[in-house]
Amino acid sequence: QVQLVESGGGSVQTGGSLRLSCTQSGTTNNYRMGWFRQRPGQEREGVALITPGGDGADYADSVKGRFTISRDNAKNMLYLQMNRLTPEDTAMYYCAAHCIFSLDSCLRTPSKFAYSGQGTQVTVSS
């Protein structure tokens, strides 16, 4: 059984940075993993995805150049470094694991991941 617990959310001003962490229990080192977010009143959307070995990643256009996804398989950790945050980044952020489809398909369809956490709130004020 895979359990995912997110941390690192909080409140920052526009232009600030946050680093989200996802603690994993269970066997996740062979899984693609990703971060998704859900803004108030909107559907969940893909933010970033990383391959099992960490050698490949994909990002939503809205975060490219600002966010970086990484993982440390030895520590069973997944990270999302978020820089140059804007109010449009305000959302609940979720960690997810295990998607067997293409990278693009996994990023565009969060429901294709088998596991996800409870989320951590990120609020960016102007």
Side-chain angles (χ1 to χ4, degrees), residues 3-10 19-24 32-50 58 67-70 78-82 89-98 106-107 109-123:
Q3 290 186 324
L4 306 171
V5 179
E6 302 92 341
S7 62
R19 188 194 195 202
L20 305 184
S21 299
C22 175
T23 303
Q24 313 152 38
R32 286 174 180 164
M33 299 198 68
W35 288 96
F36 299 91
R37 66 187 181 187
Q38 188 164 19
R39 305 176 198 179
Q42 298 188 22
E43 295 185 354
R44 195 174 289 194
E45 61 174 343
V47 173
L49 183 145
I50 192 166
D58 198 10
F67 291 12
T68 303
I69 188 172
S70 61
L78 178 73
Y79 305 101
L80 184 68
Q81 178 67 44
M82 306 186 296
D89 296 315
T90 294
M92 186 71 80
Y93 284 72
Y94 300 88
C95 167
H98 195 27
C106 292
L107 185 63
T109 312
S111 61
K112 289 185 175 179
F113 278 82
Y115 308 102
S116 63
Q118 294 300 308
T120 185
Q121 178 68 38
V122 172
T123 302

Side-chain angles (χ1 to χ4, degrees), residues 52-106:
D55 55 344
D58 198 10
Y59 297 90
D61 289 342
S62 59
V63 306
K64 281 182 180 176
R66 300 188 298 123
F67 291 12
T68 303
I69 188 172
S70 61
R71 65 192 297 168
D72 185 336
N73 287 339
K75 297 181 179 179
N76 288 341
M77 294 293 294
L78 178 73
Y79 305 101
L80 184 68
Q81 178 67 44
M82 306 186 296
N83 298 327
R84 290 183 281 141
L85 286 161
T86 74
E88 287 68 38
D89 296 315
T90 294
M92 186 71 80
Y93 284 72
Y94 300 88
C95 167
H98 195 27
C99 181
I100 63 173
F101 300 95
S102 69
L103 286 181
D104 183 69
S105 179
C106 292

Side-chain angles (χ1 to χ4, degrees), residues 1-20:
Q1 184 69 19
V2 173
Q3 290 186 324
L4 306 171
V5 179
E6 302 92 341
S7 62
S11 297
V12 296
Q13 292 187 328
T14 297
S17 298
L18 283 173
R19 188 194 195 202
L20 305 184

